[in-house]
Amino acid sequence: MALGKDYAAQECSIARALEVVGERWTLLVVRDALYGVRRYNDFLVHLGIPRAVLAARLQTLTDAGVLEKRPCAGAPRRHEYVVTERGRALWPTLRALSAWGRGGLGDTEPLRTFRHAACGTELGPSGECPACGLLVPVGDVEMLPGPGLDPEPGDPVSRALLAPRRLLQPVVTDPV
């Protein structure tokens, strides 16, 4: 029996979610969008993804309401991709997947650390602030480079992501 190309026959919420985010590269595009990457060329450079694949993933994510495509301020012929509320809802999943990957798949040192911007406390494994007792919304999360991150990356997006920053804040690599 041949492997199907989709999950349409599955009566399962996970299968429906995989229709949107289950293809290779898709969760990395969402991760970068949450980190503040918004421009097509910045996704392209940071991920090292083929152009056709990136265009298809961005289209799928906008069609599904995970990202919104908007004209860039000051450059209406260029567009940016902004995370929607639906996209923000993927933050806990990406955080858990990252922790799972770090827990036994080779990362000995954290590449990034995340803390509650309001009080500076490092987030717990489920995205909660141990000091405040709150589940911290993605917009209130500050990201810092961890000890496992390359301190001298080759691409401008990775260099911009070395500075402490709140999630969802646009990455600026060069003038539009």
Side-chain angles (χ1 to χ4, degrees), residues 74-121:
R77 294 188 136 173
R78 298 179 91 185
H79 291 88
E80 63 181 9
Y81 295 87
V82 180
V83 180
T84 64
E85 195 59 41
R86 185 172 186 155
R88 289 178 184 152
L90 285 167
W91 167 244
T93 302
L94 289 173
R95 179 152 171 75
L97 190 58
S98 176
W100 183 80
R102 187 176 57 241
L105 297 176
D107 292 341
T108 56
E109 299 280 350
L111 299 176
R112 301 188 189 285
T113 58
F114 300 94
R115 64 184 180 196
H116 187 193
C119 70
T121 302

Side-chain angles (χ1 to χ4, degrees), residues 122-169:
E122 189 168 336
L123 298 183
S126 298
E128 77 283 0
C129 176
C132 300
L134 301 171
L135 186 59
V136 180
V138 66
D140 294 337
V141 174
E142 186 177 32
M143 178 176 68
L144 296 91
L149 200 61
D150 179 359
E152 296 182 26
D155 71 271
V157 176
S158 293
R159 286 191 298 274
L161 292 175
L162 286 175
R165 57 182 296 105
R166 278 195 187 211
L167 296 184
L168 303 176
Q169 295 301 306

